[in-house]
Amino acid sequence: MMQISWNCDYRKSSWRIRKHLLCSVRCALCCLCITALFLVSLLQTGRIDKSYPTVCGHTGPVLDIDWCPHNDQVIASGSEDCTVMVWQIPENGLTLSLTEPVVVLEGHSKRVGIVAWHPTARNVLLSAGCDNAIIIWNVGTGEALINLDDMHVDMIYNVSWNRNGSLICTASKDKKVRVIDPRKQEIVAEKEKTHEGARPMRAIFLADGNIFTTGFSRMSERQLALWNPKNMEEPIALHEMDTSNGVLLPFYDPDTNIIYLCGKGDSSIRYFEITDESPYVHYLNTFSSKEPQRGMGFMPKRGLDVNKCEIARFFKLHERKCEPIIMTVPRKSDLFQDDLYPDTAGPEAALEAEEWFEGKNADPLLISLKHGYIPGKNRDLKVVKKNILDNKPAANKKSDLINAPKKAADASNTQNEAKLDEILKELKSIKDTITNQDERISKLEQQMAKIAD
Ligand SMILES: *[C@@H]1O[C@H](CO)[C@@H](O)[C@H](O)[C@H]1NC(C)=O
Ligand SMILES: *[C@@H]1O[C@H](CO)[C@@H](O)[C@H](O)[C@H]1NC(C)=O
């Protein structure tokens, strides 16, 4: 069993945080910081500068975001405004607020609470909304290619792709976990009353194809369970934890098979190793701190410092701060610890979107972390809208309907001039903002210098 220690690198001042967030955007690997970026404008936390650059194109609050696994600069967001947007963060970070998404995906009739990129196929994005529908998009063409709108009768709490992206599993308010083949539009397995309590559940696929769930018992105890989707009758393992009421959010590392459980509002992270020997879910340890977490982000494996034997990095969201929590395995040797770092999912997509939609599957393409991860040059995300007159076969009727308004808008040419005017105006206002910000920053720097003295 693995021994893990941790340390906290606490950054207190909002100014430092601001810098920290910006460089996180620059390295573009940390999931929560960008959430914080999205959140800053929503929570109106006061002390964080209003002129702080954010990603803000939605007309409603952002409910979920997901970094693209195949491009460190691309991020998808789902919003209360019923749309999904995909953003390209500039390579050197956000210096100005980003208001123009690369693409807007319209198709949900209610707010979109979940967005999740396909693990191995480029440009395939899943979204789930409060309309109880799941839509799978080809982001490269802006098309909704799969619409699963008759499988869920109640709110979807969580959706997870399996390792090669052939299946998804969902946890829903009706207490069911469903395993779905999205391309066949078929439910291949389901479990009723996965956890009997009424409070929210989570379900995630593990690398070996089993499903890990968290939820509540009828007596409101927090539970975790392990299931084999080929036989969902009885769980492989079921553990009771305690009677706190924060939903347990699982964060999973497929390389070490460790699951970190962060309870909403808890101040601790408990972690477990999953093996194929009883009791299957082995408690390892608990990281504790004083302040409760409002949210938690998880750094992808390739963003970790292998020289320090770092095996996980979390970003804990406080009201105005984002605190990194770094978990390391204490080792004396300076050599690369290959037992801690088996080859991990790299940034190359194994398939193109079209191949996946046609039925192909592939496991993630693995990379070695032996010499650290050097981010490659990301290609720009380009969206090529299909021609409206290019008639598609009947199978795609639904997606044509979904895209109809956008396509009609594309057709109009006369709007271009007005648009140019608008852009010029915007450019001017951006210039003004830059000048203002420059002044502001130098003022703040002076103030900081004073405080530092
Ligand atoms: C499902 O829950 C897990 C754990 O909270 C989270 O990491 C993942 O992003 C969620 N998936 C979606 C699509 O919300
Ligand atoms: C993808 O995963 C599924 C489910 O675990 C498995 O049955 C299938 O063989 C895998 N396909 C490939 C090409 O790895």
Side-chain angles (χ1 to χ4, degrees), residues 148 166-168 179-188:
L148 309 170
S166 64
L167 300 171
I168 54 177
V179 180
I180 298 167
D181 180 330
R183 289 166 298 189
K184 291 198 183 126
Q185 313 216 357
E186 220 174 70
I187 296 175
V188 294

Side-chain angles (χ1 to χ4, degrees), residues 101-317:
V102 183
V103 64
V104 183
L105 305 170
E106 289 167 300
H108 285 285
S109 59
K110 293 207 175 130
R111 60 201 173 99
V112 183
I114 294 170
V115 285
W117 291 98
H118 191 281
T120 58
R122 193 191 316 281
N123 287 346
V124 176
L125 178 70
L126 172 153
S127 62
C130 283
D131 50 6
N132 303 336
I134 292 175
I135 301 181
I136 300 178
W137 310 85
N138 180 345
V139 173
T141 60
E143 289 172 296
L145 289 181
I146 296 171
N147 192 334
L148 309 170
D149 57 4
D150 53 3
M151 292 190 170
H152 294 87
V153 292
D154 216 332
M155 191 166 130
I156 302 165
Y157 286 135
N158 189 233
V159 184
S160 165
W161 292 98
N162 68 348
R163 176 94 170 148
N164 68 20
S166 64
L167 300 171
I168 54 177
C169 72
T170 65
S172 164
K173 199 172 174 188
D174 62 7
K175 301 182 192 167
K176 275 192 193 175
V177 165
R178 293 170 175 82
V179 180
I180 298 167
D181 180 330
R183 289 166 298 189
K184 291 198 183 126
Q185 313 216 357
E186 220 174 70
I187 296 175
V188 294
E190 64 180 14
K191 174 66 189 168
E192 290 194 43
K193 298 207 178 131
T194 317
H195 295 276
E196 300 202 27
R199 311 229 27 240
M201 303 190 307
R202 290 289 183 274
I204 56 170
F205 261 118
L206 306 184
D208 62 3
N210 284 340
I211 292 174
F212 179 88
T213 60
T214 64
F216 292 82
S217 71
R218 212 176 317 156
M219 307 301 290
S220 289
E221 290 139 321
R222 296 200 285 192
Q223 291 181 323
L224 42 99
L226 191 64
W227 307 84
N228 178 350
K230 298 213 169 78
N231 175 13
M232 303 270 281
E233 210 48 44
E234 292 294 326
I236 301 170
L238 176 71
H239 294 286
E240 234 118 68
M241 299 245 308
D242 54 26
T243 51
S244 301
N245 58 11
V247 178
L248 288 169
L249 307 177
F251 293 87
Y252 172 57
D253 174 9
D255 304 334
T256 52
N257 254 318
I258 293 180
I259 290 183
Y260 302 85
L261 290 182
C262 304
K264 269 192 195 163
D266 286 6
S267 47
S268 62
I269 302 173
R270 260 171 277 211
Y271 41 100
F272 299 83
E273 186 172 351
I274 312 286
T275 69
D276 41 24
E277 274 163 42
S278 173
Y280 307 102
V281 181
H282 304 264
Y283 171 75
L284 292 180
N285 209 341
T286 303
F287 160 84
S288 310
S289 65
K290 282 203 204 99
E291 284 187 75
Q293 53 231 15
R294 307 170 125 234
M296 198 62 93
F298 191 43
M299 175 77 101
K301 213 48 187 301
R302 56 183 195 258
L304 303 182
D305 187 346
V306 297
N307 297 321
K308 298 203 173 111
C309 294
E310 182 184 3
I311 60 158
R313 190 184 309 170
F314 289 90
F315 291 90
K316 173 170 165 182
L317 186 64

